[in-house]
Amino acid sequence: MEWMAWTLPTAIFFIVIASMLVAMTIWQILSPSIPRRGFLPIETTRGDRLFIGLLGSAYIHIAWIALTSLSLWIALAIALVWLVVVMRWG
């Protein structure tokens, strides 16, 4: 992995994302999701909500880096709360 200059946090990040995608695929195979409406203005499936949650988490981190000098751990906590809210009520 030296040719890509991977760091441990980067590798962990991509492993977590890949694990989430594998878990969601297995969940979809075992129990197909039904599109539903939550607070998002569109009908979404679990996969849609995961994508929207991950995209929102990326924006949270980008905004955090651009607007504050505080620890990224705080942004991570906010992003995890956002992901849970979107997955549950989105």
Side-chain angles (χ1 to χ4, degrees), residues 15-63:
I15 289 168
V16 167
I17 298 295
S19 299
M20 289 171 69
L21 293 173
V22 169
M24 290 293 288
T25 301
I26 293 169
W27 189 10
Q28 180 67 22
I29 290 168
L30 296 176
S31 171
S33 64
I34 299 167
R36 65 174 175 88
R37 288 190 69 120
F39 68 83
L40 296 171
I42 56 174
E43 276 192 352
T44 57
T45 63
R46 286 188 294 252
D48 298 333
R49 290 188 299 275
L50 176 65
F51 178 75
I52 291 167
L54 290 174
L55 193 60
S57 296
Y59 285 127
I60 289 168
H61 280 85
I62 290 169

Side-chain angles (χ1 to χ4, degrees), residues 56-70:
S57 296
Y59 285 127
I60 289 168
H61 280 85
I62 290 169
W64 195 266
I65 291 170
L67 301 174
T68 74
S69 60
L70 299 173

